[in-house]
Amino acid sequence: MTATVRRRGTDRRFTTSDGTALHVELSGPRDAAVTLVLVHAWTQDHLEWDPVLPLLPTGVQVLRYDHRGHGWSEPAKPGTATVAQLADDLAELIAELAPEGRLVLAGHSMGGMTVMALAERHPELVESRVDGVAFIATSCCDMDRLTLGLNGRAGRVAARVDKTFGRLLNRWGAEHVPIPAPLARPSVKWLAFGKKVRRADVRAMTEQFLRAHPRSVGGFRDSMSDHDRRKALATLRGTPTVVMVGDRDRITPVHHARVIAEELPEAEFVLFPGAGHELTYERTREVAKRLSRLLEN
């Protein structure tokens, strides 16, 4: 089966080669010399980039989309809720919607892992066309030992809860998690954000979490536990790269970002004091500034 695209203004339905329909949005001139590809995080969707978009340079084509099992895309088919599959989806999207010109890739959390897997599985694409990469609050390994920022016994308990939560999602039969948004927001706020949180940002992320397909995101959580793509980062050496992280990130803490920077010693390393995992909301202007620099290289 070949991938197909159905167009509807700037919103598109892209059907991958295994028959999964993904929600896609394109903005900016179609004949632009560079395309910025924005790859979202686990349990989020393309809307997490809304705050960043207005601050980017004009004259750039922007491609953003929802991973399978997230947002308005179809659920992941059995056996396809893996980071490797997300990399293949991204390669297909680029081939269809941005087949020529320079590429700058920006990945947040699982989106960054997807970019690493793209370098591993499609190195020829990355080497020939990618002129810049932004890794935002993400990791290249050790996602199987998360303590959610807690120490000692509390950290060990958090790690067990994290794994149990992933298994429960994997077995969930419903299309959505049946938790009222007001009940979910406090946990989202504690887990994903740092200091000085805006209520609107917590609401936005909670809505994205509640839109995601439980069984799909449970499968992706299992796949992220096995994610180790330190070697794949070698494909990006020499490519302008920025690594961004908040010092209050509970999901992909600072030491995860430092490992990426060690593998890519020429990368710019940016630490945001007081910020958590949601840098597209918490440090919007700073993220947009770094992306703009990559686009202008």
Side-chain angles (χ1 to χ4, degrees), residues 44 134 176 230 251 272:
Q44 296 188 250
H176 302 285
R230 284 171 285 190
I251 300 172
F272 294 115

Side-chain angles (χ1 to χ4, degrees), residues 42-74:
W42 182 65
T43 75
Q44 296 188 250
D45 55 50
H46 74 282
L47 295 182
E48 76 153 285
W49 300 102
D50 273 2
V52 176
L53 282 185
L55 305 178
L56 297 174
T58 58
V60 172
Q61 178 172 242
V62 178
L63 166 61
R64 56 182 180 152
Y65 64 100
D66 295 339
H67 293 304
R68 56 180 65 207
H70 294 72
W72 287 270
S73 291
E74 290 183 347

Side-chain angles (χ1 to χ4, degrees), residues 32 35 124 204 254 269 295:
T35 297
E124 68 292 336
V254 175
F269 181 85
L295 291 165

Side-chain angles (χ1 to χ4, degrees), residues 43 45 181 185 202-212:
T43 75
D45 55 50
R185 285 177 200 139
V202 176
R203 284 198 298 269
M205 190 191 163
T206 302
E207 289 168 3
Q208 290 168 43
F209 166 67
L210 295 176
R211 266 196 298 273

Side-chain angles (χ1 to χ4, degrees), residues 44-266:
Q44 296 188 250
D45 55 50
H46 74 282
L47 295 182
E48 76 153 285
W49 300 102
D50 273 2
V52 176
L53 282 185
L55 305 178
L56 297 174
T58 58
V60 172
Q61 178 172 242
V62 178
L63 166 61
R64 56 182 180 152
Y65 64 100
D66 295 339
H67 293 304
R68 56 180 65 207
H70 294 72
W72 287 270
S73 291
E74 290 183 347
K77 297 177 185 296
T80 70
T82 67
V83 176
Q85 179 63 59
L86 295 183
D88 293 346
D89 291 348
L90 177 54
E92 288 186 9
L93 279 163
I94 289 171
E96 181 67 32
L97 299 175
E100 298 178 349
R102 297 168 49 221
L103 298 170
V104 171
L105 309 178
H108 173 214
S109 196
M110 190 174 73
M113 300 175 205
T114 301
V115 172
M116 296 174 200
L118 183 75
E120 176 184 72
R121 297 173 67 81
H122 303 275
E124 68 292 336
L125 168 62
V126 172
E127 291 171 346
S128 64
R129 296 191 53 203
V130 174
D131 283 354
V133 175
F135 289 124
I136 303 167
T138 188
S139 176
C140 63
C141 60
D142 294 336
M143 289 295 293
D144 58 337
R145 339 180 172 169
L146 297 188
T147 63
L148 305 183
L150 302 174
N151 297 318
R153 183 177 180 182
R156 293 191 292 273
V157 170
R160 288 198 293 271
V161 170
D162 174 58
K163 290 178 181 178
T164 300
F165 180 62
R167 287 195 294 267
L168 288 174
L169 288 175
N170 231 335
R171 297 169 186 165
W172 204 284
E175 288 299 303
H176 302 285
V177 178
I179 302 175
L183 294 182
R185 285 177 200 139
S187 295
V188 168
K189 177 181 177 181
W190 178 84
L191 180 63
F193 290 87
K195 290 183 175 181
K196 298 181 180 178
V197 185
R198 292 182 295 241
R199 291 181 183 177
D201 296 341
V202 176
R203 284 198 298 269
M205 190 191 163
T206 302
E207 289 168 3
Q208 290 168 43
F209 166 67
L210 295 176
R211 266 196 298 273
H213 182 251
R215 187 172 296 172
S216 299
V217 298
F220 285 120
R221 181 65 193 91
D222 287 345
S223 180
M224 285 189 288
S225 292
D226 297 329
H227 167 74
D228 187 339
R229 290 186 166 85
R230 284 171 285 190
K231 292 182 180 179
L233 290 171
T235 303
L236 295 170
R237 286 177 189 154
T239 302
T241 301
V242 58
V243 180
M244 292 177 264
V245 65
D247 69 358
R248 290 176 173 263
D249 192 328
R250 296 179 182 274
I251 300 172
T252 53
V254 175
H255 70 270
H256 287 245
R258 292 200 187 280
V259 173
I260 299 171
E262 288 168 4
E263 296 292 332
L264 299 171
E266 297 178 359

